[in-house]
Structures are given as structure tokens and as C-alpha cells.
Amino acid sequence: MPPPAPRSGPRPARLPTPLTGVVPPLCTPLTPDGRVDTRSLAALTTRLVGAGVSGLFVLGSSGEAAYLTDAQRRTVVETVIEAAGGRPVLAGAIDMTTARVVEHARTAWSLGADAIVATAPFYTRTHPAEIADHFTRVRDGADLPLFAYDIPMAVHTKLPLDTVLTLARDGVLAGLKDSSGEDGALRRLLVRVRAQVPDFSVLTGSELTVDGALLAGAHGVVPGLGNVDPHGYVRLYEHAAAGRWREAAAEQDRLAALFALTDAGDPAVMGRNSSALGAFKAALHLQGVIDCPATAPPQLPLDEAAVGTVRRCLEEAGLL
Amino acid sequence: MPPPAPRSGPRPARLPTPLTGVVPPLCTPLTPDGRVDTRSLAALTTRLVGAGVSGLFVLGSSGEAAYLTDAQRRTVVETVIEAAGGRPVLAGAIDMTTARVVEHARTAWSLGADAIVATAPFYTRTHPAEIADHFTRVRDGADLPLFAYDIPMAVHTKLPLDTVLTLARDGVLAGLKDSSGEDGALRRLLVRVRAQVPDFSVLTGSELTVDGALLAGAHGVVPGLGNVDPHGYVRLYEHAAAGRWREAAAEQDRLAALFALTDAGDPAVMGRNSSALGAFKAALHLQGVIDCPATAPPQLPLDEAAVGTVRRCLEEAGLL
Amino acid sequence: MPPPAPRSGPRPARLPTPLTGVVPPLCTPLTPDGRVDTRSLAALTTRLVGAGVSGLFVLGSSGEAAYLTDAQRRTVVETVIEAAGGRPVLAGAIDMTTARVVEHARTAWSLGADAIVATAPFYTRTHPAEIADHFTRVRDGADLPLFAYDIPMAVHTKLPLDTVLTLARDGVLAGLKDSSGEDGALRRLLVRVRAQVPDFSVLTGSELTVDGALLAGAHGVVPGLGNVDPHGYVRLYEHAAAGRWREAAAEQDRLAALFALTDAGDPAVMGRNSSALGAFKAALHLQGVIDCPATAPPQLPLDEAAVGTVRRCLEEAGLL
Amino acid sequence: MPPPAPRSGPRPARLPTPLTGVVPPLCTPLTPDGRVDTRSLAALTTRLVGAGVSGLFVLGSSGEAAYLTDAQRRTVVETVIEAAGGRPVLAGAIDMTTARVVEHARTAWSLGADAIVATAPFYTRTHPAEIADHFTRVRDGADLPLFAYDIPMAVHTKLPLDTVLTLARDGVLAGLKDSSGEDGALRRLLVRVRAQVPDFSVLTGSELTVDGALLAGAHGVVPGLGNVDPHGYVRLYEHAAAGRWREAAAEQDRLAALFALTDAGDPAVMGRNSSALGAFKAALHLQGVIDCPATAPPQLPLDEAAVGTVRRCLEEAGLL
């Protein structure tokens, strides 16, 4: 593999250890003809930073990374770093296996990202020893902190607890974004992280159980719904950090009710991604943050009734 | 279907609405030759009651219901009701489809159980409308409060949120035992239960995230690990009930570490049930509660090394 | 476990080794109020025997075994043995784990069945070594030839090739009913069976690839669709046995087209079992073989449009 | 998206309709340091052409497409087209969703490939309507015949029968490579293809049931094992084409026994891809076709014992 493009200047070591707070996985606004809408993406970034988030995660599942070309992905990283005002930017390097992931990671490095987020291999059938080798090679291939992205819904592998801990102790992984939804496994991990690798960042991607995850010791949260209500998640985090657990739970309840907008699309006619990502974008459009609610093909657009559902959810949550 | 056997006297309406607190799913001690060890089962019951549990769930997955004959199941229900000292006894009616479940439910009714716990159909491929029909027929077939047992790991169906809510509102279901491990879905349910059917009992079966579930509004917990450390779960519940969330989390952390005993069995040579249920029984044997740690065939026994692991876990948790 | 009820007279050793030909898995006709319709079941049996089948399999998935109570199951075995005119009757012993399966197997033995058909354990999570132990104990528990029923769609475990071969060589298993749909794995098994245990019976339950399975060396077929068109499957088998492969394929093509009747039910409103088993029964009703097309709860009935679809399929296949 | 690079001259319309015979999915030989070994790849191509294959499929699962960078993929297509001596070359365009697949397809077009092979979207959760839209956009995006690659093991979606037929009738799809292993579903498709779209090419990727698939009317086969024994698959195809079904079955039996080499790797220490693709490459290395048996990371190499197993399988099949 060729050496990556030179990077402009040294990377500022601005990633806290561990990383705490709200790190939303940014949606990727598109123009009606399918290009990345950099104006809207910058506006979204500015809004999130203004709400008090502690970092920005681009090119995750909420960011439609699976749908974007390499050129589009580059545009996303560049745009958000430019608009981030110094907040750390974590970049997804989502691809099937090691060599392809390394290429994305090097690109993100050359563009100035502060950390890489990568999943276990997918499409293939992979042994835990191979998953460990994968992360080790990705870390060696790009000189940036590496977060493991545990998302079995997408990659059909759950990262084993022992694999994560070993890679954390060995310095291969700097953190974990846990989107497995398996909060019991997360709890077991947190107990051992605290005892063994306290600097390792554990962020939950389960946006409906953030209060419980923080109570259990998670350092932060990566909520897709945080695109729509970043202030809510920041309040939730701050309540938890201050030990105001009842208030944190009430905020989480409000956000759990708001999450109903992701069901706006009819599952008889469209997939879950079309409905959930379409709803996030419809909400951002209704809120005036982005110019166009389009999602990338082959996702199907929400119809008028579905957009009406999104509007009602926003109104009930006091967001319109 | 013939009418059930007559029941001795009226059923005491002793099930609180909603049911709260710790309701452990009792292990079923066996003799070395595979019969239900009623002495040990009564001793286990007495111990749990003494620890302050609010109810007893027999014939669940921790109780090896799937492994017991109908006669053994009857023995279990009788033994625990006798030893329960008036605590409510919920009885699993675990079978593939409606008519078979109704038979188990009627037997449990005739023996004096206070509630029935039933899963969605399994072995077959079933539509949500059929799942709703199933629970309705089970409720109609046995005059006892009915809890839905959401355990996709066993039945390969996740109970849909709307199905549970509709059945709750219609009075078909009195409660839910959520062993899905999907705490995000549980949160969405709890928000709507509180608004719509506040008497509906929601018990989490996820023994590693009890603090978070109680913070989210769950009424109680059905922890398999509660066989081994009932006092720990009762303390956890009481901390939560009193709003001492940090203390609840610390107790949960201790129990999450103890849960490592379920991994004692080597997955290369035995299944998960052999390891986890074998570990619960080995622990109860080491603690002197039951006479024999045998599990039912075709589960394989823990070897000496595995029992040593269980012992270490107990010692570290201060339970030996 | 108590000794089984005495059996009336010695068991005729009428099961050929290997078992060849067409062994349909009988549907279980029900009355409108849900009892086993013994008259219709006998009529179905007589029809199948008249068509030239070589054996009868009761209490399989097509027979709604998962939906029938123990008493109903007994009635089915008794009725079919009585009407079978000496053809061998294989009885399903479908239940979650070993002890329960042994009870069903002993009952079938006491009623005069010629062989038992049992699946891997389900509901539980089971290691291959435990599956082997399960079949060994079932075989020891009832003195009848034992067929393994490989049906991962229902039990969520695929029987490992090596486990089947070892159990075949050890005399635990007399045969296999392969409903896995994995014809590649079946081929690998057949090559090794022929070399190592030529008396072991291999029957495919994949009713749409019977010509290929017979070409590969399978001994026979257990086709659910054989309830509806037993003559077709008998012709298919005889073509294959005589090396008329083109004619066998043409017959299989006709049956594959007929299989479209199983899609009659709308998947938006009912499960796959309701549609497929409902269609088999609707066809038998339209053909005048059984009195009532009802399926067992919680399956939902086919509506008029769906029955019309079944009728058209029968007409196109020349069966009405 | 920018217009693709200009293609040198018009594309020869050399793809037969339907495409028949043996179309092996070429392995991608690598050098010890992980580059595409173009000499070995050309040698493999020459050997396959010499054995009488009717086409060449590059960048499929056997070709480790998921593990190769875009630059490596280009090298593979160029090398094989150059060495193919005019045989049609089908190129996999394996990526997560539409826009990314279109880019690969355009590259393949510009390099002179004769057809594109693409899967349903993966990583995401996709509705059948979206799958249809995906294939339509891919076909529109690159002016080449498009084959659907049905490989649920990798993409976790089974292509619905009706979707395939509709896309075939609409001219979106020119053919199907069926690696689903679901030969029953394949049979239903073949019956309808023959009646409705006879020019549509149906190729089975199930290398162990080729005789049955051809008897059922499949046009050809894409066997990974054909890298190792192309002559065997060509003989099998020719027997079938001539109606010598017993001889075809005997050849398939021999190949099914040979397939045991894919189990050479120990599943306790490596994944299925490492074992199967490693075995194909070890065999090619032992046969002197390729220079190095390395597979791409994070696959793990076969150890000496495993290579010994591969050698024994080759010897037993008369290939060494």
C-alpha cells in the first residue's frame, strides 16, 4: 500500500482520555441530486457544537457511511473538521476487511481526523482471533487512536468481551462505541475496564438507555437521536455527571418518547434504515437545520404521512 | 379439552398490582438419579424468602423447565408453593404452542399457583397477530394472571412493543418478564406503560442491568443469579427504591463481577445452558443450600476446574 | 421415569433397512371444535397407502405436532397405525429436551409405532456433544429404531455431519430425515454414508429437490406436499428408481409449481405455518379427503381468496 | 458521480444468452507481501481456460473480493481479461450499497469486463423494494449485463423469488448466481424462468449439488472448488448436458469428497473463510499453479497439519 498523503502539520492531541460526554454521530445531509450538502453539514456541526457536545463522530451508521462513495466520505470529514471549532472529530472507517479499512483510516488521518472508528470485518466469516488481528493491523496502519465499533446488527458479529479488553490493555484500542444494544455485556465490560484500563473510553450508542449506561460507568454517549435533540442529550449527560439520576431518567424518558419518530416509515414498504435515517433528516429539515431531507439510494423517501408523524413527535417533545 | 382438576379452595388474591421487588427464577435441584430433590428445593425456597424476595418464579429457564417432564414440573410447583410461606408463586407454562401451554397453565392453577408465565410460540413460525391470539387463548384457558415471558434467545421471536401494550390494555396480560436483553426496547415500553397501563407489572430478567432498569421504571427483577445471591439483589432493589443510585450501581457492579461464574464451563466442550445452570447449581451446592449440583440431560456436568472457578467467584463476592 | 405401559404383543420388525420410497408426513385433520378428526385421518392414511407410499410419518411438522396435546398425539398414532394396513408408521417425538422426548417415544412404542423421529433439543442452547448424548439417551429410552429429524428452521440447530455419522455407526440412529434444506451438506453425508454405513436410511424432507436428492443417493423422501399429491411423489420416486431422470425432473417440476399453494396466505397477516399447513389442509378438503380444513391455534385460517389460490393451484396441476 | 473513464473500443458482445457451462470464481493469488500475484493469476486463468470453462468470474467470494483494495481489484480484472483468451469475464462489484457498487461496476466496464455481478445491499437493513431499486440503479449506472449474486451467508438477505423474476423480465438482470444453498427455492425459480424468461441465465454456486441443479434446468455452475479441479466440473457439466446422469452424479460424488479439503483449518482457531479459501490456495500451490498460498488479512494461514490434510484430499481425488 502506498504511503498516505502528507498531513498538514502535526495532529493536535486533543482527544481526552477517556473521552466523555455527548459525541453525536452526524447525519450526512445530501442535495436533491445526491451530493453531500456541505453547507447543511457545516450548519449541523455548528448547531451540535453550540449545544455543548464534546466531540463529533462522522461516517457512522447514522451518517450513512455505508451509502457514501469514498469521495463523498472525504468531503464529509473535511467539512466537519472545518466547522468543528476544535472539537475532536472521530471518523468512521467502515469497510469489509482490513486493507480496505486501513485505506479509509489513512485518508481520515491525512484530512486531520482525531480518531478512527472501525467495526469487525463483515461480509466474511471471521474468528475472534482474526478480529483481534484486524484491529491490530488497522491501528498499525494509521497513526490515530482507534475505537472499536460494536454493531452486530450491521456486521453480524458481537465483539467478544475478552477480545476488547485484551486489545484495550495492549494499547490497540483507545475506546469502544457500543451499539450492540447488549447492555448486560456492556456492564460486564465496564466493571473490568474500571479495574484494568481506566483510560479506555467506553461510549454507548444505545440512545434509549443512556442514564443506565452512565450510572454503570460509561464515559459518554453517541446518540443518533442527538442530531435532532442535542440539547436533550447534553442535559441528560450533565444530570448524570452531577448525580441527579431522577432528572437524568426523566430526560431519557422524554428522549425515548421522541425516538418514536424513527418508526414513521411503514415497514411494509421500506427498510428500517429508510425509516430511521429518513426521520432524523426529516426532523432536521423541519427544524430548519438542513436544506433537504433526502437519504441516499436505495433508501426510499418518507411519504407525507410519515413526515407528519415526525412533525408530531417533534412538537410533543417541544422541539418545534 | 377436559376441565382442569378441581382446585382446593379459592385462590388467594395475593399478587400485588404491580408486582415489585425481587422475584428469583428458582433453580430446580435434582437428585443424582435425576428426580426433583424436593428437600433441596424447599430449602432453596426458604432461603430466598428469608432474604426478602417478594415472589418466586418456578419453571423458568433457570429452573430447567425445558428439561423437566410434566410430572417433575408438578412436583416443583407443589414443593415451592408449600415452602413459600405465602409469598406469591408464578409458574412457567413453557411449551411450543397454545393448547399445550393451556394444559400446563391449568395444572399450575389446580396446584395453587398465583400467576402463569408463558412465552410466544416456538418451534413454529408465528405472526404477531398469532402471538396475540396465543396469549389471549392462554389467558382464557386458565383463570390466573398471565405474564408474558419475552425470551427471544429461546423462542427466536421478540415480542413486539405494540402487541404487549395492546394485550396489557385489554387485560390479557398482567405483566411482562423481559429477558430479551434489549433494554432500549424495554425503555420505550416503560414510558408507554406508565402513561397507559400503570398497573401492568414490568419485571426485567436482565440481571446485569437492574439498576438501570429500575431507574427507568421497571417494577422488579427476575434474576437467575438471585438463586446464588438473593441478599445482593434485595439490597440492590432497596437502594434503588430509596433513590440511592450510586449504592445500587455498586451492588450491581459486584453482582456483575459474580456473574463471571456462569462462564465456568468451557464453551469448546459444552453448551451455554450447561455452563450457566451448572454454575448456579454448583454455587448453591458449595453454599450448602442444595444437596447435589446435577443438571438435567443432555446438559453436561461442570468438571473440577469449572467448579473451582465457581468457588473463586463466590469467594471474591464474599459469599463463601 | 416409570416403565412404559405394556405393549400389546411383539413389535413386527417391518421397517426395511434402509427405508426407501415415499414416506409422507401426514397432516392431522381437526374437527371444527379442534379435536383430532379420526375419520378424516384414517381416510387420508388409506389414500396415501393406496397411492403406493412405503411408510407413514405422523406427528411431524406437517402434522402440527407442535400444536397437539399429548392426548391428541396419542390419538393420531393410534388412528394411523390402525389404518396403515401394515405399512410402517414412524412417529415424531417432538419436544424440547431428552426426558420429555423419551416420554413421547415410550408412548409411541406402547401404541405400536415402528420407529421414532426426534429433533435436536430446542429452546435451549446445546453443544454438539450434548446433541449426541440426547439421541443416545432417547434411543436407550425406547426400544425402537430412531431417526434424527434435522430441521434447523424449527430448532435453530443444524445437525453436524460428523455427529450424524458417528451416531449412525454406533447404531444409535437408524436414519435421518433431512429437512434442513441444505442439499450440499446432504450430499457430503450421502457420500460418506454409502461408504461407511450403507444400511443407514437417508430421507430428504426437501420436497422440491427430490430428483436431485435421489440422484445423489438418498433412499427416500418425506414430502409435506405428498399429502396433496401422493401419486406425483410415487411416480417421481419410481422414475428415479428406474433411472428415468428426465421424467423424474419433469414430475418434480410439476410438483414445484404445485408448491405455490403454500404461499396462498398473505404473509402480512399470518405466519408461514398458517399459510403452508392451511394450504395443505384446504387442498385435502377441496379434494374431498378430509372434512374440515381447520388448523390448530394460534394459526389463523386462510381467507376465501387464499382458498381460491389453493384451488387454482390444484386445477393447474390436474388434481381437481 | 463523474463519468467513468473512457473504455478502449467497443465491448465485444461475447456473453452467450443464457450463459452455460462452468464459470469458476477465480481465487486471487497473492505474493508473500500481500500484492496481487499477476503471474500466478494469469497462470490460473490459462489453466481454467485450458480445462474448457465457458467463462471466468473474478472478484467473487472465492476471489477474496471483500479483502482487496480497489487498486488490487483493478489489477485482478485487468490480469484475467488479458489472460482469458476471449472467454467472457464476469466481474464482481462487491460493496455495501448502490453508489459504491456503481463505482466498481463502472471501473469493471472501463477495463473491459463482459458482465457485472452484484449482491443485495449489506451492512444496512433493506426492504425488497429497495433491493429492486438497488439493482435497477446499478444496471443503469454501468452499461453491462448484470448478474444478481444471491449469497445470504455474506449479506444476510435472501433475494426474494418474485424480485428476481420481475427484474429478469424487466431486463434489469441478465442472470443470477445462486450461492444461497437453498436448492428448493432455486427449483421454484427455474420452473418460472423457463416459462417466462428463457434467456435469463441461472448459475448455481452450490458446488456440491451441481448434478441436481443441472437436472433441474440450471444453465451452469460457478464452483469455488473448480479452481482446484476444473476438469472435474467440466466433465460433470458435459455428462449432464449429454443426459448421462449416473456419470454426472459419480463425478459430483468425487468432487463432494474432495470438498473435505475446505475443512482443513481448525474451526477452534480460525474462521471458515481462512479454512476454505486457504485450502483452495494451498491446493493450487501444491498443484504448482500458483507461487504462494497466502490469503489476505485478517485471514489466518493454514498450519502444516492443515496443508497435509489438503494434500491427502488431492491425492485421494487423483489430483496430485
Side-chain angles (χ1 to χ4, degrees), chain A residues 111-298:
Chain A
L111 297 172
D114 299 287
I116 298 300
V117 185
T119 71
F122 51 93
Y123 189 89
T124 69
R125 289 170 285 171
T126 309
H127 188 273
E130 296 164 353
I131 294 174
D133 187 50
H134 169 74
F135 283 117
T136 303
R137 288 171 183 271
V138 171
R139 180 64 185 84
D140 289 347
D143 187 25
L144 279 177
L146 176 62
F147 282 64
Y149 191 175
D150 193 15
I151 184 163
M153 179 171 299
V155 306
H156 302 276
T157 303
K158 171 84 180 95
L159 291 182
L161 175 57
D162 286 333
T163 301
V164 173
L165 274 171
T166 302
L167 293 172
R169 278 193 305 258
D170 292 352
V172 172
L173 292 180
L176 172 76
K177 192 221 157 178
D178 178 15
S179 294
S180 71
E182 300 186 21
D183 284 353
L186 176 63
R187 183 54 160 271
R188 297 188 71 186
L189 178 73
L190 284 166
V191 169
R192 292 172 68 184
V193 160
R194 200 154 46 228
Q196 299 176 19
V197 271
D199 283 352
F200 185 73
S201 304
V202 180
L203 308 177
T204 179
S206 296
E207 57 219 301
L208 303 179
T209 55
V210 180
D211 50 352
L214 294 173
L215 180 58
H219 302 105
V221 56
V222 186
L225 189 61
N227 284 281
V228 178
D229 190 4
H231 295 89
Y233 278 100
V234 169
R235 280 194 302 270
L236 166 47
Y237 179 78
E238 290 175 350
H239 283 312
R244 297 187 297 266
W245 295 106
R246 280 287 172 215
E247 290 81 354
E251 191 68 49
Q252 178 67 85
D253 284 343
R254 197 184 57 79
L255 290 162
L258 173 62
F259 193 73
L261 58 78
T262 65
D263 297 329
D266 181 355
V269 302
M270 64 175 61
R272 177 71 191 161
N273 279 54
S274 294
S275 178
L277 301 184
F280 286 164
K281 286 185 157 182
L284 288 169
H285 186 236
L286 290 167
Q287 293 175 307
V289 179
I290 69 174
D291 289 345
C292 166
T295 53

Side-chain angles (χ1 to χ4, degrees), chain A residues 66 68 70 97 100 127 130 274, chain D residues 66 68 70 97 100 130 268 274:
Chain A
L68 303 179
D70 288 357
T97 65
R100 298 181 67 83
H127 188 273
E130 296 164 353
S274 294
Chain D
L68 304 179
D70 288 357
T97 65
R100 298 181 66 85
E130 295 164 354
S274 294

Side-chain angles (χ1 to χ4, degrees), chain B residues 189-252:
Chain B
L189 178 73
L190 284 167
V191 169
R192 291 171 67 183
V193 160
R194 201 153 47 228
Q196 299 177 20
V197 272
D199 284 352
F200 184 74
S201 304
V202 181
L203 308 177
T204 179
S206 296
E207 58 219 299
L208 303 179
T209 55
V210 180
D211 50 352
L214 295 173
L215 180 58
H219 301 105
V221 56
V222 186
L225 188 61
N227 284 280
V228 178
D229 190 4
H231 295 90
Y233 277 100
V234 170
R235 282 193 300 269
L236 166 46
Y237 180 78
E238 290 175 350
H239 283 313
R244 297 187 297 266
W245 294 106
R246 280 287 172 214
E247 290 81 354
E251 191 69 49
Q252 178 68 84

Side-chain angles (χ1 to χ4, degrees), chain D residues 64-133:
Chain D
E64 294 176 79
Y67 299 90
L68 304 179
T69 65
D70 288 357
Q72 290 175 313
R73 292 180 178 196
R74 273 193 298 275
T75 301
V76 168
V77 175
E78 286 170 338
T79 303
V80 173
I81 288 178
E82 170 116 5
R87 300 285 163 124
V89 175
L90 294 75
I94 308 302
D95 218 315
M96 289 169 259
T97 65
T98 313
R100 298 181 66 85
V101 172
V102 167
E103 288 200 337
H104 296 295
R106 288 183 176 183
T107 299
W109 172 88
S110 73
L111 298 172
D114 299 288
I116 298 299
V117 185
T119 71
F122 50 93
Y123 189 89
T124 69
R125 288 170 286 171
T126 309
H127 187 274
E130 295 164 354
I131 294 174
D133 187 49

Side-chain angles (χ1 to χ4, degrees), chain D:
Chain D
M1 208 175 293
R7 180 172 168 137
S8 43
R11 184 179 58 81
R14 53 186 162 179
L15 202 69
T17 309
L19 178 60
T20 61
V22 179
V23 184
L26 276 74
C27 289
T28 303
L30 299 176
T31 63
D33 62 347
R35 285 170 301 112
V36 175
D37 176 352
T38 55
R39 194 214 67 78
S40 292
L41 181 54
L44 173 60
T45 307
T46 302
R47 181 205 197 200
L48 297 173
V49 169
V53 305
S54 53
L56 299 154
F57 172 37
V58 297
L59 300 180
S61 301
S62 294
E64 294 176 79
Y67 299 90
L68 304 179
T69 65
D70 288 357
Q72 290 175 313
R73 292 180 178 196
R74 273 193 298 275
T75 301
V76 168
V77 175
E78 286 170 338
T79 303
V80 173
I81 288 178
E82 170 116 5
R87 300 285 163 124
V89 175
L90 294 75
I94 308 302
D95 218 315
M96 289 169 259
T97 65
T98 313
R100 298 181 66 85
V101 172
V102 167
E103 288 200 337
H104 296 295
R106 288 183 176 183
T107 299
W109 172 88
S110 73
L111 298 172
D114 299 288
I116 298 299
V117 185
T119 71
F122 50 93
Y123 189 89
T124 69
R125 288 170 286 171
T126 309
H127 187 274
E130 295 164 354
I131 294 174
D133 187 49
H134 169 74
F135 283 117
T136 303
R137 287 172 184 269
V138 171
R139 181 64 186 85
D140 289 347
D143 187 25
L144 279 178
L146 177 62
F147 282 64
Y149 191 175
D150 193 14
I151 185 163
M153 179 171 298
V155 305
H156 301 276
T157 304
K158 170 85 180 95
L159 292 181
L161 176 56
D162 286 334
T163 302
V164 173
L165 275 170
T166 301
L167 293 172
R169 278 193 306 257
D170 292 352
V172 171
L173 292 180
L176 172 74
K177 192 222 158 177
D178 178 15
S179 294
S180 72
E182 300 187 22
D183 284 354
L186 176 62
R187 184 55 159 270
R188 297 187 71 184
L189 178 73
L190 284 167
V191 169
R192 292 172 67 182
V193 160
R194 200 153 48 229
Q196 298 176 20
V197 272
D199 284 352
F200 184 74
S201 303
V202 181
L203 309 177
T204 180
S206 296
E207 58 219 302
L208 303 180
T209 55
V210 180
D211 51 352
L214 295 172
L215 180 59
H219 301 105
V221 55
V222 186
L225 189 61
N227 284 281
V228 178
D229 191 3
H231 295 91
Y233 278 99
V234 169
R235 280 194 302 270
L236 166 47
Y237 179 78
E238 290 174 351
H239 284 312
R244 296 187 299 267
W245 295 106
R246 281 287 172 214
E247 290 81 355
E251 191 70 46
Q252 178 67 84
D253 283 344
R254 198 184 56 80
L255 290 161
L258 174 61
F259 192 73
L261 58 78
T262 65
D263 297 329
D266 181 354
V269 301
M270 64 175 61
R272 178 71 191 159
N273 279 54
S274 294
S275 177
L277 301 184
F280 287 166
K281 286 186 156 181
L284 288 169
H285 186 237
L286 290 167
Q287 293 175 309
V289 180
I290 69 175
D291 290 343
C292 167
T295 52
Q299 292 171 99
L300 297 174
L302 298 186
D303 62 15
E304 228 172 286
V307 174
T309 301
V310 172
R311 180 189 296 276
R312 264 193 312 284
C313 288
L314 291 175
E315 288 169 350
E316 283 167 17
L319 293 173
L320 267 195

Side-chain angles (χ1 to χ4, degrees), chain C residues 5 159 304:
Chain C
L159 292 182
E304 228 172 286

